[in-house]
């Protein structure tokens, strides 16, 4: 059954998109997004986005990776299968440091990549906005604001009027399954 | 101090410069008294202060070179400050002269009778002899002086509307960077590594450079806050301090990485002629200095600087930078002093007076230089981009 999934409005240029984002934010909408062919400086502030927790995910994972690396080597070399190598102590942290460092970096890199994908809910094969034909221009020369149906303030007619009042053009109800 | 928005000059730097010069002169006089009392301790302390400040200036020079070579725009607002920092290199060349008279106190390879009984030193005599040592060290400072002088002259010419200057500076920087790498490495080998002429480490030059660049960045970060607090806040902003903070973060990690690489390879190889360096620094009270160095030059600043706020809040970045400068001195103290006092940890009052002496004159000279021309490279084509720079 077809239903309204959200509303899409087009803006003329990056400066107008930033202004629009500020107004949408100030009007109290929360589930909205801005779409542009390229990154725009200052957009995070304009949309009122909070800082990404990605840094803390990466930080936590690097510490985990390093701890795991050192502890695992300690367990192997000093507890489970002690061997004297080159006359060095069983627990030679200097020798284990390289692997520890490598795991520190590896866990951090994985945390950054998969954390980014997870926070962006990627990969996904479809998005409601793809029902809109004009939305294809977002990879070329158009700047859009979209407001989702799930937003608490969402109201089909009022939201359309609001987007028109802040300068949006080609306002479209995104309809799909 | 006060920043003038029209001429981009930093006004009234003289009173600070004068105070620094007075303090410096007092330090020099006290150090001279010390030199008559105990000349070998004096030369050890003086060498520590000398390499400490020289490597900081070299850090400033590297900042200028790397900006020209990469064409980065964010740091253009700080370029002139870094140039001023590099401009202290000729002064450091002047401060090098007394050390030539203390070579017999510092370098035991400079004694002909010692070399005559030491086959290893005989093998190194082609490089480690007094004449060549003096000649090449003068050459380093001539090269650095030429780089600093020509970059500075072109930069001022750019202020006065010379549009050709940018390209010329880029060419000088491109040729100057490899020269810089070779001379800094050899400088480190000569003044710091040859204190123990039997010992060698090929990464040593990089280690000294990494510490010096970190020290230079720390001073630049403090100066960026000084500019912001004195009326240049519209040009030098939190964004620039933030990026300097990122550099501090990266280069404290790098210092740790290089220091670690040096240590781990020597530990693995376990060859006595190499391990002696760390053995000396792990006994008789030097162990605490080593641990202190690792903790406060690397681990704690690394953790603190990982947080965004630490790079943006002025009081934190200034504290961390001051800590880095202090630890940079400890680093040089740690490289120099255990060679002479391998059976007891020792700090002399002359460490303080030589630091005050060279440091006071250094800062006085630096602030005179900072007041001597516009403090912002005002006609650089990338200046507006640099002012508008935001950290994503």
């Amino acid at each position: 059954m077809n239903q309204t999934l959200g509303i899409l409005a087009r803006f003329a240029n990056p400066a107008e998109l930033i202004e629009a984002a500020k107004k949408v934010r100030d009007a109290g909408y929360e589930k909205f997004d801005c779409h542009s062919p390229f990154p725009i400086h200052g957009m995070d502030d304009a949309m009122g986005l909070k800082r990404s927790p990605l840094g803390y995910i990466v930080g936590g994972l690097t510490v985990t990776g390093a701890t795991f690396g050192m502890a695992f080597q300690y367990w192997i070399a000093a507890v489970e299968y002690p061997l004297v190598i080159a006359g060095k102590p069983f627990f030679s942290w200097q020798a284990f440091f390289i692997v520890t460092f490598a795991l520190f970096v590896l866990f951090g890199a994985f945390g950054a990549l998969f954390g980014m994908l997870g926070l962006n809910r990627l990969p996904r094969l479809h998005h409601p906005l793809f029902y809109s034909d004009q939305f294809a221009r977002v990879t070329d020369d158009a700047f859009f604001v979209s407001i989702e149906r799930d937003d608490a303030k969402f109201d089909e007619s009022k939201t359309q009027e609001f987007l028109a009042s802040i300068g949006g053009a080609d306002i479209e109800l995104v309809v799909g399954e | 101090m006060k920043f003038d928005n029209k001429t981009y000059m930093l006004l009234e730097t003289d009173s600070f410069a004068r105070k620094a010069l007075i303090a410096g002169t007092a330090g020099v006089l006290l150090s001279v008294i010390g030199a008559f009392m105990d000349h070998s301790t004096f030369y050890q302390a003086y060498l520590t202060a000398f390499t400490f400040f020289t490597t900081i200036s070299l850090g400033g020079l590297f900042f200028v070179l790397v900006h020209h070579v990469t064409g980065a725009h964010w740091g253009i607002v700080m370029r002139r400050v870094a140039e001023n920092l590099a401009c202290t290199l000729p002064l450091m060349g002047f401060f090098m002269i007394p050390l030539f008279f203390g070579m017999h106190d510092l370098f035991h390879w400079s004694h002909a009778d010692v070399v005559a009984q030491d086959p290893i030193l005989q093998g190194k005599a082609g490089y480690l002899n007094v004449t060549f040592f003096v000649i090449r060290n003068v050459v380093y400072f001539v090269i650095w002086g030429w780089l600093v002088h020509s970059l500075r002259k072109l930069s001022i010419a750019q202020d006065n509307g010379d549009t050709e200057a940018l390209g010329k500076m880029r060419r000088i920087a491109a040729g100057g960077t490899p020269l810089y790498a070779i001379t800094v490495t050899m400088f480190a080998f000569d003044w710091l590594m040859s204190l123990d002429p039997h010992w060698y480490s090929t990464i040593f030059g990089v280690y000294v450079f990494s510490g010096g660049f970190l020290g230079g960045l720390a001073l630049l970060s403090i100066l960026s806050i000084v500019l912001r607090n004195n009326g240049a806040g519209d040009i030098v902003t939190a964004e620039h301090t933030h990026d300097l903070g990122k550099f501090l973060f990266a280069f404290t990690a790098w210092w740790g990485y290089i220091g670690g690489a040096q240590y781990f390879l020597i530990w693995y190889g376990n060859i006595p002629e190499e391990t002696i360096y760390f053995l000396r620094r792990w006994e008789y009270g030097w162990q605490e200095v080593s641990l202190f160095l690792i903790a406060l030059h690397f681990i704690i600043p690394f953790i603190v600087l990982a947080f965004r706020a630490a790079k943006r809040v002025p009081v934190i970045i200034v504290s961390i930078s001051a800590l880095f400068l202090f630890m940079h001195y400890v680093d040089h103290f740690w490289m120099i002093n255990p060679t002479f006092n391998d059976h007891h940890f020792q700090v002399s009052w002359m460490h303080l007076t030589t630091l005050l002496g060279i440091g006071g004159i250094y800062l006085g000279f630096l602030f005179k230089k900072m007041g001597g021309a516009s403090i912002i490279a005002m006609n650089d084509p990338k200046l507006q981009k640099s002012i508008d720079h935001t950290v994503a």
Side-chain angles (χ1 to χ4, degrees), chain B residues 4 39 51 62 110 141 150 236 281 290 292 323 347 366 384:
Chain B
D4 181 23
H39 52 89
T51 53
F62 185 72
S110 68
F141 275 93
S150 43
V236 183
R281 285 157 183 78
S290 303
F292 183 71
L323 175 71
V347 192
L366 175 65
Q384 192 56 45

Side-chain angles (χ1 to χ4, degrees), chain B residues 198-228:
Chain B
H198 285 197
W199 182 76
Y200 55 89
S201 162
T202 43
I203 207 171
F204 195 78
V206 186
Y207 177 80
V208 170
F209 161 73
S210 67
F213 189 44
L214 190 63
L217 285 170
L219 195 49
L220 279 179
S221 303
I222 292 175
L223 291 172
S224 83
I225 303 288
V226 169
L227 284 181
R228 281 167 64 187

Side-chain angles (χ1 to χ4, degrees), chain A residues 24-128:
Chain A
V24 175
R25 175 196 69 191
D26 292 342
Y29 290 97
E30 280 167 2
K31 293 188 175 171
F32 74 102
D33 208 351
C34 297
H35 312 270
S36 127
F38 45 80
I40 301 171
H41 267 305
M43 185 51 96
D44 291 12
D45 284 340
M47 287 175 67
L49 294 181
K50 287 199 279 292
R51 279 194 70 213
S52 161
L54 189 61
Y56 292 93
I57 295 175
V58 173
L61 277 170
T62 50
V63 174
T64 311
T67 313
F68 170 71
M70 192 54 93
F72 193 48
Q73 290 177 92
Y74 167 76
W75 178 71
I76 293 171
V79 178
E80 188 59 22
Y81 207 98
L83 281 179
V84 176
I85 297 168
K88 303 248 162 60
F90 289 132
F91 179 55
S92 299
W93 65 269
Q94 292 95 336
F96 302 161
F97 205 86
I98 312 295
V99 174
T100 304
F101 176 72
L103 285 177
F104 173 92
V105 174
L106 183 76
F107 274 52
F110 277 166
L113 175 65
F114 295 113
M116 181 276 291
L117 290 174
L119 292 171
N120 285 321
R121 299 194 185 86
L122 288 172
R124 63 187 292 175
L125 299 173
H126 192 263
H127 190 276

Side-chain angles (χ1 to χ4, degrees), chain A residues 4-11 20 23-25 27-33 145-174:
Chain A
T4 307
L5 298 170
I7 296 176
L8 191 64
R10 191 173 59 79
F11 292 85
K23 286 172 185 156
V24 175
R25 175 196 69 191
Y29 290 97
E30 280 167 2
K31 293 188 175 171
F32 74 102
D33 208 351
V145 169
S146 66
I147 299 178
E148 288 175 32
R149 180 191 58 184
D150 296 339
D151 192 281
K153 280 200 73 187
F154 187 85
D155 178 285
E156 267 193 33
S157 54
K158 278 190 193 157
T159 303
Q160 287 191 67
E161 282 165 26
F162 167 70
L163 283 170
S165 74
I166 61 170
D170 297 337
I171 293 168
E172 180 187 353
L173 280 175
V174 180

Side-chain angles (χ1 to χ4, degrees), chain B residues 17-33 95 353-362:
Chain B
R18 198 178 313 117
K19 279 176 206 150
L21 285 173
I22 290 168
T25 314
V28 168
L29 290 176
L30 286 170
S31 305
V32 169
I33 296 170
F95 276 126
T353 57
T354 48
L355 188 68
L356 182 72
I358 298 185
I361 293 171
Y362 183 92

Side-chain angles (χ1 to χ4, degrees), chain A residues 41 51 88 92 94-95 97, chain B residues 257 263-264 267-268 308 390:
Chain A
H41 267 305
R51 279 194 70 213
K88 303 248 162 60
S92 299
Q94 292 95 336
F97 205 86
Chain B
Y257 189 91
Y263 171 65
F264 292 138
W267 182 88
Y268 261 119
R308 180 184 168 95
T390 50

Side-chain angles (χ1 to χ4, degrees), chain B residues 97-328:
Chain B
I97 295 167
L99 280 170
F100 288 142
F101 297 98
M103 283 184 67
H104 287 310
D105 283 311
L106 292 170
F107 304 107
H108 77 251
W109 53 259
S110 68
H111 297 273
D113 52 326
V114 175
V115 177
Q117 310 205 343
D118 191 331
I120 293 176
L121 289 187
Q122 281 163 25
K124 295 186 179 187
Y127 184 81
L128 286 182
N129 62 72
V130 174
T131 319
F132 186 34
F133 184 93
V134 172
I135 291 172
R136 64 179 182 262
N137 273 289
V138 171
V139 169
Y140 308 153
F141 275 93
V142 168
I143 291 173
W144 297 335
W146 169 75
L147 275 174
V148 167
H149 176 73
S150 43
L151 287 171
R152 169 85 177 182
K153 209 171 76 180
L154 284 163
S155 188
I156 300 288
Q158 188 188 42
D159 277 4
N160 299 327
D162 181 356
T163 50
E164 304 283 301
L166 190 67
K168 285 182 195 159
M169 284 188 284
R170 282 198 90 166
R171 276 194 289 280
I172 289 173
T177 308
L179 272 179
Y180 175 93
I182 295 164
T183 48
V184 171
T185 306
M186 289 174 71
F187 175 82
F189 285 178
D190 285 351
W191 286 109
L192 296 166
M193 204 168 89
S194 84
L195 291 171
D196 183 355
H198 285 197
W199 182 76
Y200 55 89
S201 162
T202 43
I203 207 171
F204 195 78
V206 186
Y207 177 80
V208 170
F209 161 73
S210 67
F213 189 44
L214 190 63
L217 285 170
L219 195 49
L220 279 179
S221 303
I222 292 175
L223 291 172
S224 83
I225 303 288
V226 169
L227 284 181
R228 281 167 64 187
N229 288 348
N230 285 288
D234 292 337
I235 295 172
V236 183
T237 64
E239 310 294 331
H240 303 106
T241 311
H242 188 162
D243 270 354
L244 284 168
K246 286 181 187 170
F247 258 35
L248 285 174
F249 180 59
F251 278 87
T252 185
W254 202 54
W255 178 88
Y257 189 91
I258 299 296
Q262 177 170 277
Y263 171 65
F264 292 138
L265 280 194
I266 288 174
W267 182 88
Y268 261 119
N270 206 11
I271 302 166
E273 62 186 17
E274 291 178 352
T275 50
I276 183 73
Y277 182 79
F278 287 107
L279 196 63
R280 271 205 188 117
R281 285 157 183 78
W282 206 246
E283 291 180 326
Y284 305 110
W286 290 108
Q287 184 176 9
E288 283 76 14
V289 182
S290 303
L291 291 171
F292 183 71
L293 189 64
I294 298 167
L296 285 173
H297 201 305
F298 170 50
I299 294 174
I300 290 169
F302 181 80
I303 293 169
V304 172
L305 282 169
F307 293 92
R308 180 184 168 95
K311 288 169 272 196
R312 292 187 80 90
V313 178
V315 63
I316 304 182
I317 198 100
V318 168
S319 318
I320 286 278
S321 299
L323 175 71
F324 275 139
L325 287 172
F326 174 67
M327 291 316 295
H328 183 49

